[in-house]
Amino acid sequence: MHSGEARREDGAPPERTRNVILQVDCLEGMRRLPDASVDIIVTSPPYNIGKIYHTHNDQLPRDHYLAWMGDIAQEAGRILSHEGSFFLNLGGKPSDPWVPFDVIQQFRPHFTLQNVIHWVKSIAIEKADAGNYDAIRSDVAVGHYQPVNSNRFLSQCHEHIFHFTGSGAVPLDKLSIGVQYQDKSNIGRWKHATRDLRERGNVWFIPYSTVRSRRAHPTTFPEKLPEMCIKLHGYNRHTVVLDPFMGIGTTAIACLRLGVGYIGFEIDSYYCSVAEERIQDFKAETLTDS
Ligand SMILES: C[S@@+](CC[C@H](N)C(=O)[O-])C[C@H]1O[C@@H](n2cnc3c(N)ncnc32)[C@H](O)[C@@H]1O
């Protein structure tokens, strides 16, 4: 990878590494990147809750794990552009719900926490609570979660996505992930409501799909998650997205779908090979469709 230069006059970044997934320790990979050279970071690190990965040990001593997350935060702060966004997906486990809150303290010296997003995997809505919406005809329970076998703990139906920026003042393209008004009479009533689209807010329902490739890895996120983060930040064809914990390439697929560049690091050779396979499959499908 090459060293940092200024952007060109047409706004494009100088030629730089794009669309690669390297099998490397992410700290080492990030240290090879120039200052302020990525526009968006979207990632989900290991949560240190004893998941069985191919190579990574997900049961590090807590202080060791948190110090590692602190090193990641510091390096991310250096390579993220000044107007960039870092979306950090974190969860815990029912018996250890402190994980996300402990980890973000490690990010505090390096970033401003601009938004906290709740990624909802499963939700139950009772008709009586929903009010007078034609679309909801009965009680509904949608999505999937891993049920916990305990009379003390609740099953985890959501995780966090922490949105960090340098200044806390990075403008977002909120309507790019907007939702239609239920009550169409709101269109035109509010000065800002000129079309049938309102802000989604910070609760995102994104269910898991049942795609086959998920079985190759214990902790993937759905493709829609990085896609929504990238859209929310705003992007163009020069945008470069980094996922330092690329797993089986979900962020890379989202980037290909949106036509933005990606850089991924992943320590495990098997996950890297599954990611490459998924990328090739995606490209083949896109060619067939066009
Ligand atoms: C939560 S998973 C990410 C899954 C990914 N979002 C996906 O959808 O496929 C975390 C990943 O980090 C990888 N990992 C662990 N330690 C690493 C390190 N030091 N450098 C790079 N990757 C690492 C693990 O092998 C695992 O695939």
Side-chain angles (χ1 to χ4, degrees), residues 179-190:
V179 291
Q180 292 187 352
Y181 282 95
Q182 286 286 327
D183 177 355
K184 306 293 181 198
S185 69
N186 281 320
I187 309 164
R189 180 181 304 166
W190 311 115

Side-chain angles (χ1 to χ4, degrees), residues 24-27 43-47 53 55-56 68 217 219-221 243-251 265-268 271 278:
V24 67
D25 172 83
C26 60
L27 270 178
T43 201
S44 179
Y47 302 164
Y53 290 105
T55 42
H56 172 74
W68 180 43
H217 192 289
T219 60
T220 55
F221 49 39
D243 187 339
F245 296 98
M246 185 57 101
I248 59 169
T250 314
T251 301
F265 303 128
E266 170 54 55
I267 199 89
D268 185 89
Y271 298 151
R278 288 180 78 197

Side-chain angles (χ1 to χ4, degrees), residues 77-278:
R78 181 186 67 76
I79 62 176
L80 189 66
S81 87
H82 303 299
E83 288 291 295
S85 284
F86 184 156
F87 296 92
L88 179 70
N89 164 224
L90 284 169
K93 62 177 179 179
S95 58
D96 191 359
W98 284 110
V99 176
F101 309 104
D102 286 349
V103 171
I104 60 166
Q105 293 309 319
Q106 305 300 313
F107 279 67
R108 205 169 180 153
H110 309 287
F111 287 101
T112 302
L113 182 55
Q114 188 167 322
N115 287 287
V116 176
I117 298 159
H118 304 270
W119 164 27
V120 173
K121 302 172 182 183
S122 170
I123 190 157
I125 303 171
E126 278 143 50
K127 166 76 183 149
D129 296 330
N132 216 6
Y133 289 113
D134 292 346
I136 299 185
R137 300 215 174 88
S138 61
D139 296 350
V140 289
V142 283
H144 303 277
Y145 61 89
Q146 205 177 354
V148 64
N149 185 13
S150 161
N151 62 4
R152 284 197 293 161
F153 301 123
L154 301 175
S155 298
Q156 308 266 290
C157 297
H158 100 299
E159 295 193 9
H160 287 92
I161 304 169
F162 297 101
H163 173 220
F164 292 107
T165 59
S167 61
V170 171
L172 299 173
D173 188 358
K174 297 201 279 184
L175 291 188
S176 67
I177 56 164
V179 291
Q180 292 187 352
Y181 282 95
Q182 286 286 327
D183 177 355
K184 306 293 181 198
S185 69
N186 281 320
I187 309 164
R189 180 181 304 166
W190 311 115
K191 217 161 130 204
H192 58 271
T194 50
R195 56 186 166 140
D196 187 4
L197 208 55
R198 67 167 175 84
E199 187 203 324
R200 177 180 296 263
N202 70 345
V203 179
W204 298 359
F205 173 60
I206 315 177
Y208 274 113
S209 67
T210 48
V211 292
R212 198 164 39 92
S213 54
R214 272 197 61 217
R215 292 188 212 135
H217 192 289
T219 60
T220 55
F221 49 39
E223 191 190 313
K224 199 169 168 191
L225 188 152
E227 190 174 318
M228 286 175 71
C229 293
I230 296 165
K231 284 180 167 174
L232 178 65
H233 175 82
Y235 66 96
N236 60 41
R237 67 196 167 86
H238 303 303
T239 301
V240 173
V241 177
L242 168 71
D243 187 339
F245 296 98
M246 185 57 101
I248 59 169
T250 314
T251 301
I253 303 286
C255 289
L256 285 170
R257 204 177 285 288
L258 295 173
V260 303
Y262 62 84
I263 301 172
F265 303 128
E266 170 54 55
I267 199 89
D268 185 89
S269 63
Y270 171 64
Y271 298 151
C272 284
S273 65
V274 177
E276 280 312 327
E277 247 173 63
R278 288 180 78 197

Side-chain angles (χ1 to χ4, degrees), residues 28-50:
E28 196 187 316
M30 288 162 91
R31 285 181 185 130
R32 292 187 209 160
L33 290 171
D35 292 357
S37 61
V38 300
D39 304 296
I40 302 172
I41 302 176
V42 187
T43 201
S44 179
Y47 302 164
N48 207 37
I49 54 175

